[in-house]
Amino acid sequence: MPVPTTGHTTESLTTWLAERIALYLKRRPDEIDPDVPLAEYGLDSVAALSLCGDIEDDFDLMVEPTVAWDYPTVHALAGHLMEEIATETAETTATAETGKSGGA
């Protein structure tokens, strides 16, 4: 079931990402420094693809399989996800508004 996409902050996404990445790497979330490149922790392509799947499942966002390499730290990835959530929310709102005004 997707996590509601409203009300997210960069901090909440940073926490979610650190917890998820820690799970894949068999570490504690507090061991994941949000400014250290994920590759330095040993994040491999299998874990990166799993992370993409979790993002898609939990946030209902489609992300490229390279997202963990394009945004190589937890902070960078959280910022990118915030942008994606904002874009998705704006598109959904615009579509809903168009539907309302178009049916009048």
Side-chain angles (χ1 to χ4, degrees):
M1 178 175 179
V3 173
T5 54
T6 57
H8 284 292
T9 63
T10 303
E11 184 178 332
S12 69
L13 290 172
T14 297
T15 299
W16 184 89
L17 287 165
E19 289 171 353
R20 193 62 51 145
I21 291 163
L23 178 71
Y24 298 142
L25 300 177
K26 297 178 176 53
R27 293 175 180 247
R28 293 189 327 268
D30 63 354
E31 293 178 24
I32 305 299
D33 183 326
D35 295 312
V36 171
L38 300 174
E40 287 188 25
Y41 288 112
L43 189 78
D44 61 15
S45 60
V46 173
L49 283 173
S50 295
L51 180 62
C52 289
D54 287 343
I55 290 168
E56 291 172 6
D57 290 345
D58 289 1
F59 300 101
D60 202 25
L61 290 174
M62 297 298 293
V63 294
E64 293 295 322
T66 59
V67 74
W69 313 128
D70 295 338
Y71 303 93
T73 67
V74 169
H75 272 154
L77 187 50
H80 172 69
L81 292 179
M82 280 300 297
E83 290 174 10
E84 291 295 312
I85 288 169
T87 299
E88 187 74 21
T89 301
E91 289 174 0
T92 301
T93 302
T95 301
E97 291 300 318
T98 302
K100 286 180 187 176
S101 63

